[in-house]
Amino acid sequence: ENTISYNKTIKGKHRISAVAGFTYQSFLNTALGGSGSGFISDASQTYDLASSQQPGIPTSSYSNSVLVSFLGRLNYSYNDKYLATVSFRDDGSSKYSEGHKWGDFPSAAVAWKASNEDFLKSVAAISNLKVRASWGYTGSQAINPYATLDQLVSSQTIFGSALNVAYAPGTVLPGNLKWETTEQKDIGLDLGLFGNRLSFTADYYVKNTRDLLNTVQLPSSLGFLTTIRNIGEVQNKGLELSVGAGIFTGAFKWDVSANISFNRNKVQKLYGGEDILGGFIDVNAITDNTSILHQGKPIGMFWGYKTNGYNAQGHEQYQDLNKDGAITIADKTFIGNPNPDFIYGFNSIMSYKNFDLTVFIQGTQGNDIFNVSAINSTVDYGIGLNMTKDVFLNHWTPTNTNAKYPIPSLSSSVSVSNRFVEDGSYLRFKNIQLAYNLPSKQLAGTSIRSIQIYASGQNLLTITKYSWWDPEVNSAGASNSTSQGLDYFSYPTAKTVTVGVRVGF
């Protein structure tokens, strides 16, 4: 990294700072692996693979990518009232196709610290008031280093009686890719009252992402399973609010804060206009996609059949939406939305004399979860599986035709449907801690500065209607994944109780 900076103050009111530079980053990953089975003893652990009766085939891998950037930023402040910043990045990534390796990402922001104006300095209640606005572009290069190249994969095959090494195309079709680019506009307000004992922050933003990168499933007839494409344009817009307060009365102190976020996203455009299926699952009973990208709809809407009760034998039926007298792919529709109406959090730190109580709560409201985990535990598909107790108590019988589950049967047939879509809203106590701090006078004359005895619990209580292990789940990837809300055999968040002592010297 090579940067140069400049700082200057003119007449005590004009402050200027600038940074310009050039950076070069190279990412190299190599791996080497060996294996074996049939050891006489495990005493040597993994340190004597040659002693195995059946040595495995050694493996190795290599990948390399480079990111080159030119960057610059200029900050200006006038009398600590009017603030402005302008920045620019020009990034070149080896991951992208020829002609698309470089991306330009400018940004700018302005702010007005109204609380420093003379006409507000006399208002004792207002300790801070700032109005902000910003605009800018950012880029994403979250793809495999060789996603745009034809890749050959080695394998071993038999010709005649001889074992030969062969190379063949991989299962991922290379794509002609360019930078995923997001433009964001934001306006915000920061307000502090009564010496900042009460604070409030609000932000409204609009994010438009073009050339969205996503993995696309391909027909098996092509010889490839997936590819990565710049699939279209997506918009996110929302409102974020937070409030905080500090209460101090004698030996009692209480700092409390809360936040809530509303986000609405929509697929603005899909290149080619064709829907893109996602959220692929394979659980024996069902092998299918669970979600869809569709123009005009939120990202990752669940896609499948709508149930229509049970037939005379107790098997599940689906709605014939196109009225053609048959249940086909054409009868699939939107069956749920994994995007929450809002998410929220609450944090409280109370202290009285030597005792501290900390509570952190978070939750979501209005999001759906596709419960893949429940499929094989609530529907038999021909081999006599164990079922949950709920199935035993509430399955179809001739006298219980409105049951929650179909009749247990070795001839059951099941499809992706709204029966597996559940309300994923939850409120969770993420952390609760009670602590006692030994008075400092008891430590006088020792080398110990502080002693705190505490007991804490994480995820002790979750309030939710979701029927499975954990509503705080996302099996398909990070928050920027286009497949959200899948509970695909996810391991639940652990409940943890900790008792301990912290000592400072």
Side-chain angles (χ1 to χ4, degrees):
E1 296 189 358
N2 304 275
T3 60
I4 185 171
S5 62
Y6 173 81
N7 295 277
K8 180 72 173 179
T9 300
I10 303 174
K11 296 182 179 179
K13 292 185 177 182
H14 303 273
R15 294 206 310 270
I16 300 172
S17 65
V19 174
F22 162 81
T23 67
Y24 176 92
Q25 296 173 301
S26 178
F27 304 90
L28 174 65
N29 292 277
T30 61
L32 178 65
S35 63
S37 61
F39 291 88
I40 297 175
S41 169
D42 62 359
S44 62
Q45 300 182 29
T46 60
Y47 302 112
D48 188 12
L49 294 180
S51 65
S52 64
Q53 294 180 13
Q54 292 87 33
I57 299 174
T59 61
S60 61
S61 64
Y62 170 94
S63 69
N64 181 231
S65 64
V66 173
L67 178 67
V68 177
S69 303
F70 298 91
L71 53 90
R73 183 180 69 244
L74 174 65
N75 295 327
Y76 172 75
S77 171
Y78 173 72
N79 206 23
D80 202 26
K81 297 179 184 178
Y82 311 105
L83 313 173
T85 181
V86 177
S87 63
F88 181 82
R89 292 185 62 94
D90 193 18
D91 295 319
S93 173
S94 64
K95 294 182 178 181
Y96 289 108
S97 303
E98 291 295 333
H100 301 296
K101 294 185 181 296
W102 289 90
D104 300 328
F105 307 109
S107 66
V110 294
W112 174 38
K113 295 187 69 172
S115 54
N116 287 348
E117 297 285 1
D118 293 337
F119 62 85
L120 282 180
K121 286 183 177 180
S122 59
V123 182
I126 299 178
S127 47
N128 179 48
L129 177 59
K130 180 192 285 188
V131 181
R132 302 174 279 103
S134 62
W135 163 89
Y137 283 94
T138 56
S140 172
Q141 54 158 350
I143 58 174
N144 183 285
Y146 307 127
T148 63
L149 303 178
D150 290 300
Q151 299 181 64
L152 295 178
V153 178
S154 63
S155 61
Q156 292 184 322
T157 187
I158 296 177
F159 289 105
S161 59
L163 184 66
N164 296 272
V165 175
Y167 280 89
T171 60
V172 179
L173 178 68
N176 184 25
L177 303 177
K178 52 187 174 182
W179 281 88
E180 176 184 302
T181 304
T182 298
E183 178 190 22
Q184 179 167 337
K185 302 172 184 176
D186 183 284
I187 57 173
L189 173 70
D190 299 322
L191 177 62
L193 302 173
F194 312 114
N196 287 327
R197 288 193 174 189
L198 180 64
S199 60
F200 173 78
T201 300
D203 280 278
Y204 176 77
Y205 62 88
V206 178
K207 296 171 63 177
N208 291 294
T209 301
R210 67 172 188 262
D211 301 321
L212 181 71
L213 292 165
N214 190 51
T215 299
V216 177
Q217 300 288 332
L218 297 175
S220 57
S221 58
L222 290 178
F224 297 94
L225 300 180
T226 62
T227 187
I228 297 178
R229 292 177 181 169
N230 294 108
I231 61 172
E233 301 176 7
V234 172
Q235 182 184 80
N236 283 270
K237 59 182 178 181
L239 178 67
E240 297 179 347
L241 304 172
S242 64
V243 61
I247 301 173
F248 309 98
T249 304
F252 177 75
K253 298 179 181 180
W254 186 21
D255 288 313
V256 60
S257 61
N259 62 79
I260 187 168
S261 299
F262 305 84
N263 183 76
R264 299 292 179 267
N265 67 62
K266 183 169 65 173
V267 178
Q268 298 283 74
K269 181 180 179 181
L270 291 174
Y271 299 148
E274 296 183 0
D275 295 338
I276 296 176
L277 298 176
F280 182 78
I281 61 172
D282 184 356
V283 290
N284 295 322
I286 298 178
T287 302
D288 203 352
N289 297 96
T290 61
S291 63
I292 192 171
L293 294 179
H294 181 83
Q295 285 187 180
K297 291 289 186 179
I299 293 176
M301 291 286 288
F302 295 132
W303 181 253
Y305 298 101
K306 285 190 174 182
T307 56
N308 190 27
Y310 306 103
N311 61 20
Q313 291 75 41
H315 296 294
E316 199 164 60
Q317 299 182 130
Y318 304 109
Q319 295 182 22
D320 182 11
L321 298 181
N322 63 358
K323 309 299 182 184
D324 65 352
I327 302 299
T328 65
I329 294 178
D331 294 306
K332 286 188 173 183
T333 187
F334 304 104
I335 56 175
N337 186 352
N339 301 284
D341 295 331
F342 58 87
I343 60 176
Y344 57 92
F346 173 83
N347 193 49
S348 169
I349 302 175
M350 292 183 182
S351 63
Y352 179 72
K353 295 185 176 179
N354 295 319
F355 289 92
D356 297 331
L357 177 63
T358 302
V359 178
F360 174 49
I361 300 171
Q362 73 170 43
T364 69
Q365 183 63 41
N367 58 296
D368 293 323
I369 295 177
F370 192 94
N371 191 353
V372 182
S373 303
I375 295 176
N376 286 355
S377 298
T378 59
V379 178
D380 203 338
Y381 53 89
I383 61 174
L385 297 172
N386 284 328
M387 298 287 102
T388 62
K389 181 180 178 181
D390 193 29
V391 175
F392 176 74
L393 297 175
N394 195 10
H395 67 267
W396 183 95
T397 67
T399 58
N400 186 22
T401 57
N402 292 322
K404 182 178 179 181
Y405 301 99
I407 186 172
S409 170
L410 295 181
S411 60
S412 296
S413 177
V414 63
S415 300
V416 173
S417 71
N418 60 312
R419 186 161 76 81
F420 303 109
V421 177
E422 302 184 37
D423 182 5
S425 306
Y426 72 89
L427 181 152
R428 169 168 283 170
F429 286 78
K430 291 290 290 184
N431 183 57
I432 302 174
Q433 177 177 288
L434 178 63
Y436 175 74
N437 302 283
L438 263 67
S440 57
K441 62 182 181 180
Q442 295 186 11
L443 304 176
T446 71
S447 60
I448 298 176
R449 175 172 47 86
S450 63
I451 296 180
Q452 183 186 70
I453 305 170
Y454 68 93
S456 66
Q458 288 78 43
N459 309 305
L460 294 184
L461 176 63
T462 301
I463 301 172
T464 183
K465 294 180 180 179
Y466 184 56
S467 66
W468 219 245
W469 306 123
D470 190 352
E472 189 180 359
V473 62
N474 181 15
S475 301
S479 58
N480 60 352
S481 170
T482 57
S483 296
Q484 297 288 316
L486 276 183
D487 187 353
Y488 197 169
F489 305 134
S490 300
Y491 199 83
T493 302
K495 294 182 179 180
T496 306
V497 176
T498 305
V499 178
V501 178
R502 296 187 181 97
V503 181
F505 296 93

